Amino acid sequence: MSNDRLERRLGRLLLAGVAISTSLLAVGLLLWMTLGASGPGAPFLHAGLILLMATPVARVVVSFVEYVRERDWFFAATTFGVLAVLAVTVIVAIRTAMRW
């Protein structure tokens, strides 16, 4: 896959992630403002935030898969290192949150 094609695919992925998370956040905020904090808005807000945070991670995953398919081992290894750092960060954050 050419770099231009990969960049277009990644751009569409990022655009879709941001658009969907923005929609979820807007619906959640509207529900929260009209029905109160105990209403059905909280799940939309949570889903929107999680998707917004997961979008860049999805970009790294897609990049890793494409580099492996292209047999570009340097960039595949580098991207895998980034994924490992992200995974450790998520695990530490979850464990820290569970202690609270």
Side-chain angles (χ1 to χ4, degrees):
M1 176 179 294
S2 71
N3 282 340
D4 290 337
R5 188 171 164 196
L6 175 59
E7 289 300 321
R8 282 193 306 270
R9 179 178 286 176
L10 292 173
R12 286 192 305 265
L13 173 70
L14 292 173
L15 181 63
V18 170
I20 294 169
S21 66
T22 300
S23 299
L24 289 169
L25 289 168
V27 168
L29 184 60
L30 181 66
L31 290 172
W32 179 77
M33 288 173 33
T34 57
L35 301 176
S38 62
F44 287 97
L45 292 171
H46 291 147
L49 288 174
I50 289 170
L51 183 60
L52 188 62
M53 290 184 287
T55 299
V57 177
R59 182 193 198 285
V60 176
V61 170
V62 170
S63 297
F64 173 72
V65 170
E66 289 302 321
Y67 290 139
V68 168
R69 288 179 61 192
E70 292 176 3
R71 301 192 191 299
D72 191 342
W73 303 120
F74 174 76
F75 284 112
T78 304
T79 309
F80 183 77
V82 172
L83 282 173
V85 170
L86 289 171
V88 168
T89 302
V90 168
I91 291 168
V92 169
I94 290 171
R95 286 187 178 181
T96 302
M98 290 176 77
R99 285 190 217 152
W100 290 92

